[in-house]
Amino acid sequence: MDRILTHGNDICLLLNPSVNAYRRLDPHFEAPNQIKASAVDRGSMIRIPIGNERSSRVEVRSVAPDANPYLVMLSVFKTGLDGDTAKIKNLRGAERYLPDNIYDALANFKGAPWTTSLLGEDVKERYAELKQNSADRCPRLLGTEVKIPEIQFHHNVYNQNLWNRF
């Protein structure tokens, strides 16, 4: 659990791959955006439900619904087994937050040595390039600008819809 919390910012792009996923992780909403573990706090990244001596589980709650389940399982399991442990004494009580936009998550993902050992250099670069292209298609802030490729894409879709009616 401490290893997943230690690398929470590093693997956030794998757990939340789209621009819309970061709108959900806004600190002003009740999404699980705090990098901490708790049994009762719904805003924590990891939740440990109360169990008994025969059953216990750990829930990683910050995963977006549109995430690739295979990448999520790989990143969570391998990080939990092989990741670095924190140098902070009380990591579970520290006040840290997941990124609230895809650009910060990309910077954390690219700069982390853990993601290189997790995916390999080639896969990491291609994944980051794919997510960068996806982020560049969407405006950084919702409603501030509409980019020309978006207009062309939606215009083509709309025209195709009109042509299909005839």
Side-chain angles (χ1 to χ4, degrees):
M1 185 174 59
D2 284 338
R3 292 174 177 162
I4 295 171
L5 293 174
T6 300
H7 295 290
N9 280 328
D10 301 343
I11 63 173
C12 187
L13 189 65
L14 296 169
L15 305 179
N16 299 286
S18 66
V19 175
N20 286 335
Y22 294 96
R23 292 185 181 131
R24 184 179 72 87
L25 291 178
D26 188 357
H28 302 342
F29 297 118
E30 295 179 6
N33 60 354
Q34 298 176 16
I35 303 177
K36 66 180 186 177
S38 174
V40 293
D41 185 13
R42 298 258 180 204
S44 61
M45 179 183 177
I46 294 180
R47 184 170 173 264
I48 311 152
I50 298 172
N52 55 28
E53 65 275 353
R54 292 184 356 183
S55 68
S56 64
R57 69 178 193 264
V58 173
E59 298 174 358
V60 179
R61 298 188 62 242
S62 62
V63 179
D66 60 347
N68 183 332
Y70 301 109
L71 281 176
V72 169
M73 287 190 288
L74 171 78
S75 61
V76 170
F77 291 154
K78 190 161 177 154
T79 301
L81 293 172
D82 299 333
D84 299 329
T85 56
K87 294 172 180 58
I88 302 170
K89 290 287 185 197
N90 189 9
L91 184 63
R92 283 177 245 150
E95 285 292 324
R96 298 184 320 152
Y97 292 93
L98 291 170
D100 61 349
N101 63 60
I102 196 166
Y103 295 104
D104 293 342
L106 269 164
N108 292 338
F109 180 79
K110 288 178 183 177
W114 171 246
T115 54
T116 305
S117 64
L118 181 68
L119 299 174
E121 186 66 36
D122 185 42
V123 174
K124 177 182 175 177
E125 287 178 15
R126 285 191 281 161
Y127 187 79
E129 181 182 343
L130 176 71
K131 295 304 164 187
Q132 183 70 49
N133 291 338
S134 174
D136 290 341
R137 279 192 67 215
C138 297
R140 180 175 263 236
L141 299 172
L142 183 62
T144 57
E145 75 178 273
V146 178
K147 296 183 179 179
I148 292 176
E150 289 291 322
I151 294 170
Q152 291 170 345
F153 173 76
H154 292 294
H155 183 69
N156 289 337
V157 169
Y158 183 71
N159 283 343
Q160 187 65 36
N161 185 21
L162 286 176
W163 281 109
N164 286 337
R165 291 185 182 184
F166 294 107

